[in-house]
């Protein structure tokens, strides 16, 4: 761990996600895992299976963030174009990776066909990412990690590389909640608390419970003492407004 802020971006690639056919389940998992490593997930994008858009997104994000993780589009069908697009983004040849070829031939045996062997193609010089679930590997080029979209496989691939990631300071998170106060009732005072604690990110997340409004207030930052000080201020704000602060999240229905 180092003391710098380390950032990451997740690119979810696939028309099926944009159409609603498939519900993304990878962002939440990656965000949780990265936060625990001291890596701040700073941006997420969902982009279509369009080569130029993938190339643009990869090049923009790999220059902006310390790590980029892509999910989706590395299977065996015609619309799985992520690997080829990543090669184009780096200006690398798109070619058969010898080790990936060996893994797939061992896995498929006599059932191997041109479609399945397409999954052995990577940008030239790419480092493979192990896939213990279905064997077809992901890969890494510089700071870009290319994973499958299937959640079970994406998680297994991340587990295989997370020990190599270099995180920064772990973000500390504290929550205080209150029922009976709405966001509108505390907006001005909450803004003032944020101004008084500029090195802490304060978020407001409303809920409905038993027909009444409430708010979860979350303070996040890299300095535990500063986060705790902000939490004290949030508790006092709630009391001043006639509410009762409760440490931790209060579960409720999120307003539509």
């Amino acid at each position: 761990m180092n003391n710098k802020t380390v950032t990451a971006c997740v690119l979810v690639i696939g028309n099926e996600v944009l159409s609603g056919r498939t519900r993304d389940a990878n962002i939440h998992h990656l965000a949780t895992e990265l936060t625990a490593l001291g890596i701040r997930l700073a941006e997420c994008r969902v982009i279509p299976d369009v080569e130029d858009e993938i190339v643009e997104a990869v090049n923009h994000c790999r220059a902006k963030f310390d790590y980029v993780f892509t999910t989706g589009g590395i299977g065996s069908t015609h619309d799985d174009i992520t690997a080829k697009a990543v090669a184009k983004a780096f200006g690398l040849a798109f070619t058969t990776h010898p080790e990936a070829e060996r893994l797939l031939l061992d896995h498929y045996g006599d059932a191997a066909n041109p479609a399945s062997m397409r999954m052995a193609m990577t940008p030239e010089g790419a480092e493979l990412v192990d896939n213990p679930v279905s064997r077809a590997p992901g890969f890494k080029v510089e700071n870009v990690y290319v994973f499958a979209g299937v959640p079970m496989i994406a998680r297994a691939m991340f587990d295989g590389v997370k020990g190599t990631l270099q995180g920064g300071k772990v973000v500390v998170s504290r929550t205080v909640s209150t029922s009976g106060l709405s966001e509108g009732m505390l907006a001005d005072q909450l803004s003032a608390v944020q101004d008084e604690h500029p090195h802490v990110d304060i978020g407001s997340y409303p809920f409905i419970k038993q027909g009444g409004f409430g708010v979860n207030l979350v303070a996040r930052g890299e300095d535990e003492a500063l986060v705790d000080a902000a939490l004290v201020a949030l508790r006092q704000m709630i009391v001043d407004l006639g509410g009762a602060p409760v440490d931790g999240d209060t579960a409720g229905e999120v307003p539509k």
Side-chain angles (χ1 to χ4, degrees), residues 92-105:
L92 297 171
F94 185 53
T95 186
T96 298
H97 191 294
E99 178 62 14
E101 183 179 45
R102 184 191 67 78
L103 287 169
L104 291 172
L105 287 173

Side-chain angles (χ1 to χ4, degrees), residues 25-26 29 131-134 148-159:
N26 291 318
H29 180 77
N131 171 5
V133 178
S134 60
V150 177
M152 180 184 297
I153 301 175
R155 293 179 184 189
M157 287 180 171
F158 183 81
D159 285 344

Side-chain angles (χ1 to χ4, degrees), residues 191-207:
S191 180
V193 172
Q194 178 67 88
D195 289 344
E196 292 165 3
H197 298 83
H199 299 295
V200 178
D201 294 327
I202 299 175
S204 172
Y205 306 96
F207 61 83

Side-chain angles (χ1 to χ4, degrees), residues 103-123:
L103 287 169
L104 291 172
L105 287 173
D106 286 348
H107 177 67
Y108 286 106
D110 293 340
N113 58 42
S116 61
M117 295 311 296
R118 286 183 67 237
M119 295 185 291
M121 297 188 71
T122 70

